[in-house]
Amino acid sequence: HTPMYFFLLNLSLLDLGSISTTVPKAMANSLWDTRDISYAGCAAQVFLFLFFISAELSLLTVMAYDRYVAICKPLHYGILLGNRACVHMAAAAWGSGFLYSLLHTVNTFSLPLCKGNAVDQFFCEVPQILKLSCTDAYLREFGLIVVSVFVGIGCFAFIVLSYVQIFRAVLRIPSQQGRHKAFSTCLPHLAVVSLFLSTGVFAYLKPPSISFPSLDLMVAVPYSVVPSTVNPLIYSMRNEELQDAVRKLITG
C-alpha cells in the first residue's frame, strides 16, 4: 500500500503479460514442430505485445520519477505521490500503452501483404510483417515507428536525468553501505532499460540490407524476453522486505 509497491504490482502484471504473449506460443510451436499461427492470432499477438511493452516503458518512467521524489524531495513525497496521483499515473501508463498498441496494430494490419505470409521470427513482430507489405504502404508505418522511437528515447532521457539527480543525492550520503545499496538497485534497472530500448530501436530501425534470421532473433530476445525475466530479480529478490515476506509465506 505504498507507491513503490503499487508500481511494482503494475510492473509485475505487465511483465507477466508481455512474456506470456510470446514465449508460450513459441514453446508450443517448438514442441509440436510447427510454425503456424492464424492471422487473427498474429494480430492479437502484435497488439498485446506492443501494449505490454509500451505500457511498461511508461511505467518505468513513472517509477524513475517516484524514486527521484523519494530520494531528492522526501518532504514532498506524500503530496506529489499520494494515492490518487499514483492511480492516475498508473492508469496513464496503461492507457498510453493501449492507444499506442491499437494505433500500430490497426495501421500494420491495414497494409496489403503482397510478399507471402511467412514471418521469419519466433513471434509476430511488426518489422517482420512490414517485410511482407508493399513498398509504398511500408513507408506509412515506418514513419509511425520513427515517431514512436523518439518518444521512447524521450522516456529514456527522462529516466537517465532522474537517476543523475538520484546519484547526486546518493553521493552525499555519509554511509558507504547506504550508497552501495542505492547504486545496486539503480544500476541494474538502468542496464535493463538500456538493453530494452537499444535492441528495440535496432530491431525497428535497422536497414533491411542487414536483416537476416539469426541477427533478428538475437536482437528480438533482449527486448522481448530479457526485461520481463530480469525485472523480478532486480525489484524483488534484491529487496529485503520482499525477501522477508517470501520467507514468512514459505515457513507459514
Side-chain angles (χ1 to χ4, degrees), residues 11-247:
L11 182 67
S12 65
L13 294 175
L14 290 171
D15 281 333
L16 181 63
S18 173
I19 206 166
S20 297
T21 301
T22 57
V23 173
K25 176 63 177 175
M27 293 174 64
N29 285 353
S30 178
L31 290 172
W32 295 332
D33 195 22
T34 179
R35 299 187 65 179
D36 293 340
I37 186 170
S38 66
Y39 185 84
C42 185
Q45 195 173 60
V46 167
F47 173 79
L48 291 173
F49 179 70
L50 290 176
F51 167 55
F52 287 122
I53 64 170
S54 57
E56 180 167 334
L57 179 59
S58 299
L59 189 66
L60 289 172
T61 306
V62 170
M63 293 175 69
Y65 175 72
D66 166 65
R67 292 297 86 203
Y68 164 75
V69 175
I71 295 175
C72 301
K73 298 180 181 294
L75 298 180
H76 298 90
Y77 190 78
I79 298 174
L80 296 175
L81 286 160
N83 291 336
R84 181 173 296 181
C86 291
V87 170
H88 287 170
M89 286 189 284
W94 286 84
S96 63
F98 177 83
L99 292 176
Y100 172 85
S101 176
L102 182 65
L103 183 63
H104 262 299
T105 305
V106 171
N107 199 35
T108 300
F109 284 91
S110 65
L111 302 177
L113 305 180
C114 51
K115 298 179 182 177
N117 62 350
V119 179
D120 200 9
Q121 186 58 274
F122 73 95
F123 68 101
C124 283
E125 186 185 34
V126 171
Q128 299 297 327
I129 297 173
L130 293 182
K131 289 181 181 180
L132 309 178
S133 66
C134 303
T135 306
D136 55 343
Y138 170 88
L139 296 176
R140 185 180 65 185
E141 173 65 13
F142 185 77
L144 183 59
I145 289 176
V146 171
V147 173
S148 303
V149 167
F150 277 107
V151 172
I153 293 174
C155 291
F156 179 67
F158 181 86
I159 293 172
V160 170
L161 289 175
S162 299
Y163 275 111
V164 167
Q165 298 299 319
I166 290 171
F167 289 157
R168 291 176 60 184
V170 168
L171 289 174
R172 293 195 292 267
I173 297 176
S175 168
Q176 183 178 356
Q177 183 178 2
R179 292 196 301 269
H180 175 74
K181 182 177 180 181
F183 281 125
S184 66
T185 302
C186 296
L187 291 178
H189 174 213
L190 276 177
V192 172
V193 174
S194 302
L195 180 67
F196 167 72
L197 278 177
S198 60
T199 53
V201 168
F202 184 75
Y204 279 71
L205 293 185
K206 70 179 184 298
S209 58
I210 62 171
S211 178
F212 47 92
S214 58
L215 177 63
D216 292 341
L217 179 63
M218 290 173 59
V219 170
V221 171
Y223 85 87
S224 64
V225 177
V226 172
S228 300
T229 306
V230 177
N231 277 339
L233 298 176
I234 293 175
Y235 288 107
S236 301
M237 301 309 294
R238 300 177 68 90
N239 186 294
E240 293 181 1
E241 294 179 11
L242 285 176
Q243 290 177 7
D244 292 341
V246 171
R247 290 193 197 98

